[in-house]
Amino acid sequence: MPPVESSTASRPSTVRRAVVTGASSGIGLATATRLRQAGWDVVAVARRADRLDGLAAQTGAVPFAADVTNDDDVERLRAFVAERGGLDTLVNIAGGARGVDRVGSAQNDDWEWMFDVNVLGTMKMLRAFLPALRAHGAGTVLNLTSTAALVPYEGGAGYNAAKFGQHALTGALRLEEVEHNVRVIEVLPGLVQTEEFSLNRLGGDRQAADKVYAGVAEPLTADDVAEVVAYSLLLPHHINLDQVVIRPVAQAANHKLIRTQPQE
Ligand code: 8X3
Protein backbone atom coordinates (compact mmCIF):
# COMPACT_ATOMS: atom_id res chain seq x y z
CA MET A 1 0.00 0.00 0.00
CA PRO A 2 1.44 3.40 -0.90
CA PRO A 3 2.02 5.72 2.03
CA VAL A 4 -1.11 7.58 3.03
CA GLU A 5 -0.42 11.25 2.78
CA SER A 6 -2.51 13.45 4.97
CA SER A 7 -3.36 15.44 1.84
CA THR A 8 -5.23 12.46 0.35
CA ALA A 9 -7.47 11.95 3.33
CA SER A 10 -9.56 14.20 5.47
CA ARG A 11 -7.88 17.51 6.15
CA PRO A 12 -9.13 18.57 9.52
CA SER A 13 -8.87 22.26 10.10
CA THR A 14 -7.15 21.58 13.39
CA VAL A 15 -4.31 19.25 14.22
CA ARG A 16 -5.41 15.72 15.03
CA ARG A 17 -4.55 14.55 18.53
CA ALA A 18 -4.07 10.92 19.46
CA VAL A 19 -3.14 8.91 22.49
CA VAL A 20 -1.28 5.76 21.40
CA THR A 21 -0.64 2.98 23.92
CA GLY A 22 1.99 0.27 23.62
CA ALA A 23 4.28 2.87 22.09
CA SER A 24 7.59 1.55 23.42
CA SER A 25 8.05 -1.03 20.65
CA GLY A 26 6.56 -2.87 17.71
CA ILE A 27 3.24 -1.78 16.25
CA GLY A 28 2.63 0.89 18.90
CA LEU A 29 6.00 2.53 18.25
CA ALA A 30 5.50 2.35 14.49
CA THR A 31 2.00 3.81 14.78
CA ALA A 32 3.07 6.72 16.97
CA THR A 33 5.88 7.41 14.49
CA ARG A 34 3.56 7.18 11.47
CA LEU A 35 0.98 9.52 12.99
CA ARG A 36 3.70 12.06 13.81
CA GLN A 37 4.78 11.85 10.14
CA ALA A 38 1.21 12.73 9.22
CA GLY A 39 1.46 15.81 11.42
CA TRP A 40 -0.57 14.59 14.37
CA ASP A 41 -0.05 15.58 17.96
CA VAL A 42 0.71 12.24 19.64
CA VAL A 43 0.89 11.31 23.30
CA ALA A 44 2.90 8.08 23.32
CA VAL A 45 2.15 5.80 26.26
CA ALA A 46 4.08 2.81 27.60
CA ARG A 47 5.34 1.48 30.89
CA ARG A 48 9.00 1.83 29.94
CA ALA A 49 9.89 5.51 30.11
CA ASP A 50 13.42 4.97 28.77
CA ARG A 51 12.01 3.43 25.59
CA LEU A 52 9.73 6.40 25.04
CA ASP A 53 12.58 8.89 25.20
CA GLY A 54 14.02 7.72 21.88
CA LEU A 55 10.64 7.98 20.20
CA ALA A 56 10.12 11.45 21.62
CA ALA A 57 13.55 12.63 20.49
CA GLN A 58 13.14 11.23 16.99
CA THR A 59 9.53 12.16 16.28
CA GLY A 60 8.39 14.83 18.70
CA ALA A 61 5.76 12.57 20.21
CA VAL A 62 4.99 13.48 23.81
CA PRO A 63 6.07 10.62 26.07
CA PHE A 64 3.97 9.51 29.02
CA ALA A 65 5.02 6.57 31.16
CA ALA A 66 1.97 4.65 32.32
CA ASP A 67 0.69 1.14 32.74
CA VAL A 68 -2.74 0.89 31.11
CA THR A 69 -3.79 -1.73 33.65
CA ASN A 70 -3.14 0.60 36.57
CA ASP A 71 -6.09 2.82 37.52
CA ASP A 72 -3.93 5.57 39.02
CA ASP A 73 -1.68 5.68 35.97
CA VAL A 74 -4.67 5.89 33.65
CA GLU A 75 -6.15 8.72 35.70
CA ARG A 76 -2.83 10.63 35.61
CA LEU A 77 -2.76 10.16 31.86
CA ARG A 78 -6.35 11.31 31.44
CA ALA A 79 -5.62 14.48 33.41
CA PHE A 80 -2.41 15.12 31.48
CA VAL A 81 -4.16 14.81 28.12
CA ALA A 82 -7.04 17.01 29.29
CA GLU A 83 -4.55 19.72 30.31
CA ARG A 84 -2.96 19.54 26.85
CA GLY A 85 -6.31 20.21 25.19
CA GLY A 86 -7.82 16.74 24.90
CA LEU A 87 -7.82 14.26 22.04
CA ASP A 88 -9.90 13.12 19.08
CA THR A 89 -8.41 9.63 18.72
CA LEU A 90 -7.51 6.84 21.11
CA VAL A 91 -5.35 4.05 19.72
CA ASN A 92 -5.22 1.02 22.02
CA ILE A 93 -2.23 -1.04 21.00
CA ALA A 94 -0.86 -2.18 24.37
CA GLY A 95 -1.32 -5.93 24.58
CA GLY A 96 0.42 -9.19 23.97
CA ALA A 97 0.68 -12.91 24.50
CA ARG A 98 2.36 -14.99 27.19
CA GLY A 99 2.86 -18.70 26.81
CA VAL A 100 1.73 -21.37 24.38
CA ASP A 101 0.45 -23.82 26.96
CA ARG A 102 -2.60 -25.88 26.21
CA VAL A 103 -5.66 -25.48 28.40
CA GLY A 104 -4.77 -28.57 30.39
CA SER A 105 -1.51 -27.00 31.53
CA ALA A 106 -2.51 -23.33 31.58
CA GLN A 107 -0.52 -21.02 33.85
CA ASN A 108 -2.61 -18.66 35.99
CA ASP A 109 -0.01 -15.87 35.77
CA ASP A 110 0.08 -15.92 31.99
CA TRP A 111 -3.68 -15.96 31.60
CA GLU A 112 -4.17 -13.21 34.18
CA TRP A 113 -1.53 -11.03 32.51
CA MET A 114 -3.13 -11.50 29.08
CA PHE A 115 -6.62 -10.66 30.33
CA ASP A 116 -5.26 -7.71 32.25
CA VAL A 117 -3.37 -6.02 29.45
CA ASN A 118 -5.53 -6.93 26.44
CA VAL A 119 -9.01 -6.68 27.94
CA LEU A 120 -8.92 -4.72 31.18
CA GLY A 121 -6.27 -2.29 29.95
CA THR A 122 -8.36 -1.49 26.88
CA MET A 123 -11.47 -1.07 29.03
CA LYS A 124 -9.70 1.22 31.51
CA MET A 125 -8.37 3.46 28.74
CA LEU A 126 -11.81 3.65 27.16
CA ARG A 127 -13.57 4.37 30.43
CA ALA A 128 -11.16 7.22 31.06
CA PHE A 129 -11.22 8.77 27.59
CA LEU A 130 -14.75 8.19 26.28
CA PRO A 131 -16.12 11.37 27.89
CA ALA A 132 -13.53 13.45 26.02
CA LEU A 133 -14.03 11.55 22.76
CA ARG A 134 -17.79 12.09 22.98
CA ALA A 135 -17.37 15.74 23.83
CA HIS A 136 -15.14 16.20 20.78
CA GLY A 137 -18.09 15.36 18.55
CA ALA A 138 -16.18 13.25 16.02
CA GLY A 139 -13.99 10.97 18.08
CA THR A 140 -12.30 7.77 16.99
CA VAL A 141 -11.23 4.66 18.87
CA LEU A 142 -8.95 2.13 17.23
CA ASN A 143 -8.42 -1.16 19.04
CA LEU A 144 -5.68 -3.44 17.83
CA THR A 145 -6.80 -7.02 18.39
CA SER A 146 -5.57 -9.99 16.37
CA THR A 147 -6.60 -12.76 14.03
CA ALA A 148 -6.35 -14.76 17.27
CA ALA A 149 -9.66 -13.05 18.07
CA LEU A 150 -11.31 -14.84 15.16
CA VAL A 151 -10.03 -18.41 15.17
CA PRO A 152 -8.76 -20.42 18.15
CA TYR A 153 -5.71 -22.60 17.74
CA GLU A 154 -3.87 -25.21 19.81
CA GLY A 155 -1.61 -23.57 22.36
CA GLY A 156 -3.38 -20.26 21.82
CA ALA A 157 -6.28 -20.59 24.28
CA GLY A 158 -5.20 -17.91 26.75
CA TYR A 159 -4.33 -15.42 24.04
CA ASN A 160 -7.38 -16.43 21.99
CA ALA A 161 -9.66 -15.93 24.98
CA ALA A 162 -8.16 -12.52 25.76
CA LYS A 163 -8.30 -11.35 22.15
CA PHE A 164 -11.82 -12.74 21.65
CA GLY A 165 -12.72 -10.73 24.75
CA GLN A 166 -11.14 -7.53 23.45
CA HIS A 167 -12.85 -8.15 20.08
CA ALA A 168 -16.25 -8.53 21.79
CA LEU A 169 -15.65 -5.40 23.84
CA THR A 170 -14.88 -3.53 20.62
CA GLY A 171 -18.12 -4.68 18.98
CA ALA A 172 -20.21 -3.66 21.97
CA LEU A 173 -18.42 -0.32 22.11
CA ARG A 174 -19.28 0.46 18.47
CA LEU A 175 -22.97 -0.08 19.21
CA GLU A 176 -22.85 1.94 22.41
CA GLU A 177 -20.95 4.93 21.07
CA VAL A 178 -22.62 5.46 17.70
CA GLU A 179 -25.05 7.92 19.24
CA HIS A 180 -22.06 9.99 20.29
CA ASN A 181 -20.56 9.89 16.78
CA VAL A 182 -17.54 8.00 18.08
CA ARG A 183 -16.08 5.84 15.30
CA VAL A 184 -14.79 2.45 16.46
CA ILE A 185 -12.22 0.69 14.28
CA GLU A 186 -10.75 -2.73 14.92
CA VAL A 187 -7.52 -3.82 13.25
CA LEU A 188 -6.79 -7.55 13.45
CA PRO A 189 -3.25 -8.47 12.40
CA GLY A 190 -2.04 -11.99 11.70
CA LEU A 191 1.66 -12.86 11.59
CA VAL A 192 3.71 -9.73 12.29
CA GLN A 193 7.43 -10.04 12.95
CA THR A 194 8.29 -7.59 15.69
CA GLU A 195 11.16 -7.27 18.08
CA GLU A 196 9.25 -8.51 21.10
CA PHE A 197 5.90 -10.22 20.43
CA SER A 198 7.11 -13.81 20.07
CA LEU A 199 10.07 -13.28 22.37
CA ASN A 200 7.70 -12.26 25.18
CA ARG A 201 5.29 -15.03 24.36
CA LEU A 202 8.01 -17.66 24.44
CA GLY A 203 9.64 -16.56 27.68
CA GLY A 204 12.61 -14.82 26.07
CA ASP A 205 13.70 -17.87 24.04
CA ARG A 206 15.27 -16.21 20.99
CA GLN A 207 15.62 -19.41 18.96
CA ALA A 208 12.00 -20.37 19.50
CA ALA A 209 10.89 -16.83 18.67
CA ASP A 210 12.86 -16.80 15.41
CA LYS A 211 11.30 -20.14 14.43
CA VAL A 212 7.85 -18.57 14.39
CA TYR A 213 8.85 -16.61 11.28
CA ALA A 214 11.43 -19.03 9.83
CA GLY A 215 11.09 -19.58 6.11
CA VAL A 216 8.16 -17.18 5.72
CA ALA A 217 8.90 -15.05 2.67
CA GLU A 218 7.59 -11.76 3.97
CA PRO A 219 5.99 -11.68 7.39
CA LEU A 220 4.28 -8.39 8.08
CA THR A 221 6.32 -5.74 9.83
CA ALA A 222 5.18 -3.27 12.46
CA ASP A 223 5.44 -0.55 9.81
CA ASP A 224 3.04 -2.48 7.54
CA VAL A 225 0.43 -2.58 10.28
CA ALA A 226 1.04 1.06 11.23
CA GLU A 227 0.38 2.00 7.60
CA VAL A 228 -3.02 0.32 7.73
CA VAL A 229 -3.79 1.86 11.12
CA ALA A 230 -2.89 5.32 9.79
CA TYR A 231 -4.92 4.74 6.62
CA SER A 232 -8.02 3.86 8.59
CA LEU A 233 -7.57 6.84 10.92
CA LEU A 234 -6.92 9.28 8.08
CA LEU A 235 -10.09 8.41 6.21
CA PRO A 236 -12.85 10.97 6.62
CA HIS A 237 -14.61 10.41 9.93
CA HIS A 238 -17.88 9.17 8.41
CA ILE A 239 -16.03 6.18 6.90
CA ASN A 240 -15.61 3.41 9.43
CA LEU A 241 -13.40 0.44 8.69
CA ASP A 242 -15.18 -1.65 11.29
CA GLN A 243 -12.79 -4.59 11.10
CA VAL A 244 -9.58 -4.76 9.12
CA VAL A 245 -7.93 -8.18 8.96
CA ILE A 246 -4.32 -7.87 7.83
CA ARG A 247 -2.06 -10.83 7.11
CA PRO A 248 1.03 -11.51 5.04
CA VAL A 249 0.14 -13.12 1.72
CA ALA A 250 1.96 -16.28 2.84
CA GLN A 251 -0.57 -16.70 5.65
CA ALA A 252 -3.84 -17.59 3.94
CA ALA A 253 -5.30 -18.50 7.33
CA ASN A 254 -3.93 -18.98 10.82
CA HIS A 255 -3.46 -22.69 10.10
CA LYS A 256 -2.09 -22.21 6.58
CA LEU A 257 1.27 -20.50 6.56
CA ILE A 258 3.62 -21.07 3.64
CA ARG A 259 7.29 -21.46 4.54
CA THR A 260 9.40 -21.42 1.41
CA GLN A 261 12.61 -22.44 3.10
CA PRO A 262 12.96 -25.77 4.92
CA GLN A 263 12.93 -25.63 8.71
CA GLU A 264 15.63 -27.19 10.83
C1 8X3 B 1 -0.68 -12.35 16.72
C2 8X3 B 1 -1.23 -13.30 15.72
O1 8X3 B 1 -1.13 -15.73 14.93
O2 8X3 B 1 0.27 -15.17 16.81
O3 8X3 B 1 -1.65 -11.52 17.26
O4 8X3 B 1 -2.10 -15.34 17.10
S1 8X3 B 1 -1.03 -14.94 16.19
Side-chain angles (χ1 to χ4, degrees), residues 15-46:
V15 172
R16 298 277 300 269
R17 294 163 171 261
V19 171
V20 179
T21 71
S24 58
S25 74
I27 297 169
L29 173 63
T31 296
T33 304
R34 181 65 186 82
L35 294 180
R36 283 294 302 148
Q37 283 167 1
W40 289 40
D41 186 8
V42 173
V43 175
V45 180

mmCIF file of all heavy atoms in Angstrom, residues 15-46:
data_model
loop_
_atom_site.group_PDB
_atom_site.id
_atom_site.type_symbol
_atom_site.label_atom_id
_atom_site.label_comp_id
_atom_site.label_asym_id
_atom_site.label_seq_id
_atom_site.Cartn_x
_atom_site.Cartn_y
_atom_site.Cartn_z
ATOM 1 N N VAL A 15 -5.218 20.391 14.139
ATOM 2 C CA VAL A 15 -4.311 19.250 14.225
ATOM 3 C C VAL A 15 -5.014 18.091 14.924
ATOM 4 O O VAL A 15 -5.701 18.284 15.929
ATOM 5 C CB VAL A 15 -3.047 19.663 15.008
ATOM 6 C CG1 VAL A 15 -2.162 18.452 15.291
ATOM 7 C CG2 VAL A 15 -2.289 20.730 14.250
ATOM 8 N N ARG A 16 -4.847 16.901 14.384
ATOM 9 C CA ARG A 16 -5.411 15.717 15.029
ATOM 10 C C ARG A 16 -4.562 15.346 16.240
ATOM 11 O O ARG A 16 -3.339 15.458 16.209
ATOM 12 C CB ARG A 16 -5.440 14.551 14.029
ATOM 13 C CG ARG A 16 -6.314 14.789 12.814
ATOM 14 C CD ARG A 16 -7.760 14.504 13.063
ATOM 15 N NE ARG A 16 -8.042 13.138 13.461
ATOM 16 C CZ ARG A 16 -8.342 12.141 12.627
ATOM 17 N NH1 ARG A 16 -8.361 12.337 11.328
ATOM 18 N NH2 ARG A 16 -8.632 10.937 13.105
ATOM 19 N N ARG A 17 -5.238 14.876 17.274
ATOM 20 C CA ARG A 17 -4.549 14.548 18.530
ATOM 21 C C ARG A 17 -4.892 13.137 18.941
ATOM 22 O O ARG A 17 -6.066 12.830 19.160
ATOM 23 C CB ARG A 17 -5.022 15.474 19.653
ATOM 24 C CG ARG A 17 -4.655 16.917 19.474
ATOM 25 C CD ARG A 17 -5.523 17.765 20.401
ATOM 26 N NE ARG A 17 -5.036 19.126 20.408
ATOM 27 C CZ ARG A 17 -4.255 19.637 21.346
ATOM 28 N NH1 ARG A 17 -3.888 18.896 22.371
ATOM 29 N NH2 ARG A 17 -3.844 20.871 21.275
ATOM 30 N N ALA A 18 -3.844 12.324 19.087
ATOM 31 C CA ALA A 18 -4.067 10.924 19.457
ATOM 32 C C ALA A 18 -3.299 10.560 20.711
ATOM 33 O O ALA A 18 -2.225 11.083 20.976
ATOM 34 C CB ALA A 18 -3.627 10.004 18.316
ATOM 35 N N VAL A 19 -3.870 9.623 21.441
ATOM 36 C CA VAL A 19 -3.139 8.909 22.486
ATOM 37 C C VAL A 19 -2.902 7.508 21.937
ATOM 38 O O VAL A 19 -3.849 6.847 21.500
ATOM 39 C CB VAL A 19 -3.948 8.845 23.796
ATOM 40 C CG1 VAL A 19 -3.275 7.920 24.804
ATOM 41 C CG2 VAL A 19 -4.123 10.241 24.385
ATOM 42 N N VAL A 20 -1.644 7.084 21.923
ATOM 43 C CA VAL A 20 -1.280 5.761 21.403
ATOM 44 C C VAL A 20 -0.635 4.964 22.525
ATOM 45 O O VAL A 20 0.387 5.382 23.080
ATOM 46 C CB VAL A 20 -0.287 5.880 20.220
ATOM 47 C CG1 VAL A 20 0.107 4.485 19.710
ATOM 48 C CG2 VAL A 20 -0.870 6.716 19.094
ATOM 49 N N THR A 21 -1.229 3.819 22.867
ATOM 50 C CA THR A 21 -0.637 2.980 23.920
ATOM 51 C C THR A 21 0.252 1.895 23.298
ATOM 52 O O THR A 21 0.186 1.641 22.096
ATOM 53 C CB THR A 21 -1.713 2.313 24.797
ATOM 54 O OG1 THR A 21 -2.385 1.293 24.034
ATOM 55 C CG2 THR A 21 -2.721 3.331 25.309
ATOM 56 N N GLY A 22 1.075 1.306 24.126
ATOM 57 C CA GLY A 22 1.985 0.273 23.624
ATOM 58 C C GLY A 22 3.081 0.861 22.762
ATOM 59 O O GLY A 22 3.628 0.192 21.881
ATOM 60 N N ALA A 23 3.432 2.114 23.016
ATOM 61 C CA ALA A 23 4.281 2.866 22.091
ATOM 62 C C ALA A 23 5.778 2.626 22.281
ATOM 63 O O ALA A 23 6.590 3.232 21.586
ATOM 64 C CB ALA A 23 3.974 4.365 22.210
ATOM 65 N N SER A 24 6.153 1.739 23.197
ATOM 66 C CA SER A 24 7.588 1.548 23.422
ATOM 67 C C SER A 24 8.237 0.642 22.383
ATOM 68 O O SER A 24 9.457 0.637 22.247
ATOM 69 C CB SER A 24 7.827 0.966 24.820
ATOM 70 O OG SER A 24 7.130 -0.251 24.957
ATOM 71 N N SER A 25 7.451 -0.144 21.658
ATOM 72 C CA SER A 25 8.052 -1.029 20.652
ATOM 73 C C SER A 25 6.988 -1.508 19.673
ATOM 74 O O SER A 25 5.798 -1.263 19.858
ATOM 75 C CB SER A 25 8.705 -2.245 21.336
ATOM 76 O OG SER A 25 7.707 -3.132 21.791
ATOM 77 N N GLY A 26 7.448 -2.174 18.639
ATOM 78 C CA GLY A 26 6.561 -2.867 17.709
ATOM 79 C C GLY A 26 5.520 -1.967 17.044
ATOM 80 O O GLY A 26 5.817 -0.859 16.602
ATOM 81 N N ILE A 27 4.300 -2.470 16.993
ATOM 82 C CA ILE A 27 3.239 -1.782 16.248
ATOM 83 C C ILE A 27 2.891 -0.444 16.894
ATOM 84 O O ILE A 27 2.591 0.534 16.206
ATOM 85 C CB ILE A 27 1.993 -2.699 16.147
ATOM 86 C CG1 ILE A 27 2.341 -3.967 15.352
ATOM 87 C CG2 ILE A 27 0.823 -1.968 15.491
ATOM 88 C CD1 ILE A 27 1.270 -5.060 15.412
ATOM 89 N N GLY A 28 2.942 -0.373 18.216
ATOM 90 C CA GLY A 28 2.633 0.894 18.895
ATOM 91 C C GLY A 28 3.651 1.962 18.558
ATOM 92 O O GLY A 28 3.299 3.118 18.258
ATOM 93 N N LEU A 29 4.918 1.592 18.603
ATOM 94 C CA LEU A 29 5.999 2.529 18.253
ATOM 95 C C LEU A 29 5.862 2.981 16.798
ATOM 96 O O LEU A 29 5.958 4.179 16.486
ATOM 97 C CB LEU A 29 7.349 1.836 18.479
ATOM 98 C CG LEU A 29 8.603 2.570 18.031
ATOM 99 C CD1 LEU A 29 8.792 3.872 18.788
ATOM 100 C CD2 LEU A 29 9.835 1.672 18.224
ATOM 101 N N ALA A 30 5.625 2.018 15.916
ATOM 102 C CA ALA A 30 5.496 2.348 14.489
ATOM 103 C C ALA A 30 4.277 3.240 14.239
ATOM 104 O O ALA A 30 4.324 4.152 13.400
ATOM 105 C CB ALA A 30 5.387 1.058 13.673
ATOM 106 N N THR A 31 3.217 3.001 14.968
ATOM 107 C CA THR A 31 2.002 3.808 14.781
ATOM 108 C C THR A 31 2.211 5.237 15.276
ATOM 109 O O THR A 31 1.832 6.206 14.601
ATOM 110 C CB THR A 31 0.815 3.145 15.514
ATOM 111 O OG1 THR A 31 0.562 1.880 14.909
ATOM 112 C CG2 THR A 31 -0.428 4.007 15.453
ATOM 113 N N ALA A 32 2.813 5.367 16.450
ATOM 114 C CA ALA A 32 3.075 6.715 16.970
ATOM 115 C C ALA A 32 3.962 7.480 15.989
ATOM 116 O O ALA A 32 3.735 8.662 15.694
ATOM 117 C CB ALA A 32 3.739 6.617 18.344
ATOM 118 N N THR A 33 4.965 6.791 15.458
ATOM 119 C CA THR A 33 5.883 7.413 14.494
ATOM 120 C C THR A 33 5.137 7.824 13.223
ATOM 121 O O THR A 33 5.308 8.941 12.718
ATOM 122 C CB THR A 33 7.013 6.414 14.147
ATOM 123 O OG1 THR A 33 7.655 6.008 15.357
ATOM 124 C CG2 THR A 33 8.019 7.023 13.202
ATOM 125 N N ARG A 34 4.289 6.925 12.727
ATOM 126 C CA ARG A 34 3.561 7.184 11.474
ATOM 127 C C ARG A 34 2.582 8.364 11.635
ATOM 128 O O ARG A 34 2.439 9.191 10.722
ATOM 129 C CB ARG A 34 2.808 5.910 11.063
ATOM 130 C CG ARG A 34 2.030 6.021 9.767
ATOM 131 C CD ARG A 34 2.960 6.226 8.586
ATOM 132 N NE ARG A 34 2.216 6.469 7.345
ATOM 133 C CZ ARG A 34 1.724 7.658 6.980
ATOM 134 N NH1 ARG A 34 1.899 8.721 7.748
ATOM 135 N NH2 ARG A 34 1.071 7.767 5.841
ATOM 136 N N LEU A 35 1.933 8.418 12.780
ATOM 137 C CA LEU A 35 0.979 9.524 12.986
ATOM 138 C C LEU A 35 1.719 10.853 13.134
ATOM 139 O O LEU A 35 1.230 11.897 12.680
ATOM 140 C CB LEU A 35 0.086 9.245 14.200
ATOM 141 C CG LEU A 35 -0.869 8.055 14.038
ATOM 142 C CD1 LEU A 35 -1.707 7.882 15.299
ATOM 143 C CD2 LEU A 35 -1.775 8.223 12.809
ATOM 144 N N ARG A 36 2.894 10.832 13.737
ATOM 145 C CA ARG A 36 3.700 12.058 13.805
ATOM 146 C C ARG A 36 4.096 12.491 12.387
ATOM 147 O O ARG A 36 4.061 13.676 12.072
ATOM 148 C CB ARG A 36 4.966 11.833 14.656
ATOM 149 C CG ARG A 36 4.718 11.825 16.149
ATOM 150 C CD ARG A 36 4.259 13.191 16.668
ATOM 151 N NE ARG A 36 5.229 14.228 16.370
ATOM 152 C CZ ARG A 36 4.931 15.502 16.122
ATOM 153 N NH1 ARG A 36 3.672 15.907 16.116
ATOM 154 N NH2 ARG A 36 5.882 16.380 15.869
ATOM 155 N N GLN A 37 4.431 11.510 11.541
ATOM 156 C CA GLN A 37 4.784 11.848 10.144
ATOM 157 C C GLN A 37 3.616 12.520 9.439
ATOM 158 O O GLN A 37 3.804 13.349 8.553
ATOM 159 C CB GLN A 37 5.173 10.581 9.358
ATOM 160 C CG GLN A 37 6.559 10.077 9.667
ATOM 161 C CD GLN A 37 6.778 8.666 9.111
ATOM 162 O OE1 GLN A 37 5.896 8.065 8.482
ATOM 163 N NE2 GLN A 37 7.964 8.131 9.366
ATOM 164 N N ALA A 38 2.410 12.132 9.822
ATOM 165 C CA ALA A 38 1.214 12.728 9.216
ATOM 166 C C ALA A 38 0.856 14.062 9.872
ATOM 167 O O ALA A 38 -0.158 14.668 9.526
ATOM 168 C CB ALA A 38 0.041 11.759 9.324
ATOM 169 N N GLY A 39 1.670 14.492 10.822
ATOM 170 C CA GLY A 39 1.462 15.811 11.422
ATOM 171 C C GLY A 39 0.574 15.824 12.649
ATOM 172 O O GLY A 39 0.153 16.884 13.111
ATOM 173 N N TRP A 40 0.298 14.651 13.192
ATOM 174 C CA TRP A 40 -0.569 14.591 14.371
ATOM 175 C C TRP A 40 0.196 14.947 15.634
ATOM 176 O O TRP A 40 1.403 14.732 15.738
ATOM 177 C CB TRP A 40 -1.108 13.179 14.555
ATOM 178 C CG TRP A 40 -2.123 12.735 13.550
ATOM 179 C CD1 TRP A 40 -2.120 12.975 12.207
ATOM 180 C CD2 TRP A 40 -3.278 11.935 13.815
ATOM 181 N NE1 TRP A 40 -3.207 12.380 11.626
ATOM 182 C CE2 TRP A 40 -3.934 11.733 12.585
ATOM 183 C CE3 TRP A 40 -3.814 11.374 14.955
ATOM 184 C CZ2 TRP A 40 -5.102 11.001 12.477
ATOM 185 C CZ3 TRP A 40 -4.981 10.629 14.851
ATOM 186 C CH2 TRP A 40 -5.622 10.455 13.625
ATOM 187 N N ASP A 41 -0.541 15.426 16.599
ATOM 188 C CA ASP A 41 -0.051 15.578 17.959
ATOM 189 C C ASP A 41 -0.263 14.214 18.624
ATOM 190 O O ASP A 41 -1.397 13.723 18.663
ATOM 191 C CB ASP A 41 -0.883 16.676 18.639
ATOM 192 C CG ASP A 41 -0.366 17.032 20.010
ATOM 193 O OD1 ASP A 41 0.710 16.557 20.371
ATOM 194 O OD2 ASP A 41 -1.059 17.787 20.708
ATOM 195 N N VAL A 42 0.814 13.609 19.105
ATOM 196 C CA VAL A 42 0.711 12.242 19.640
ATOM 197 C C VAL A 42 1.225 12.185 21.069
ATOM 198 O O VAL A 42 2.346 12.622 21.347
ATOM 199 C CB VAL A 42 1.534 11.262 18.762
ATOM 200 C CG1 VAL A 42 1.581 9.869 19.405
ATOM 201 C CG2 VAL A 42 0.965 11.187 17.358
ATOM 202 N N VAL A 43 0.416 11.664 21.958
ATOM 203 C CA VAL A 43 0.893 11.306 23.299
ATOM 204 C C VAL A 43 1.168 9.808 23.256
ATOM 205 O O VAL A 43 0.271 9.001 23.003
ATOM 206 C CB VAL A 43 -0.135 11.652 24.393
ATOM 207 C CG1 VAL A 43 0.359 11.159 25.753
ATOM 208 C CG2 VAL A 43 -0.376 13.158 24.432
ATOM 209 N N ALA A 44 2.442 9.463 23.439
ATOM 210 C CA ALA A 44 2.895 8.076 23.318
ATOM 211 C C ALA A 44 3.010 7.469 24.708
ATOM 212 O O ALA A 44 3.746 7.971 25.558
ATOM 213 C CB ALA A 44 4.241 8.031 22.604
ATOM 214 N N VAL A 45 2.277 6.378 24.913
ATOM 215 C CA VAL A 45 2.151 5.801 26.257
ATOM 216 C C VAL A 45 2.762 4.400 26.302
ATOM 217 O O VAL A 45 2.512 3.575 25.417
ATOM 218 C CB VAL A 45 0.656 5.697 26.643
ATOM 219 C CG1 VAL A 45 0.489 5.103 28.041
ATOM 220 C CG2 VAL A 45 -0.012 7.066 26.547
ATOM 221 N N ALA A 46 3.551 4.160 27.331
ATOM 222 C CA ALA A 46 4.075 2.812 27.598
ATOM 223 C C ALA A 46 4.586 2.791 29.018
ATOM 224 O O ALA A 46 4.765 3.843 29.636
ATOM 225 C CB ALA A 46 5.191 2.459 26.613
#
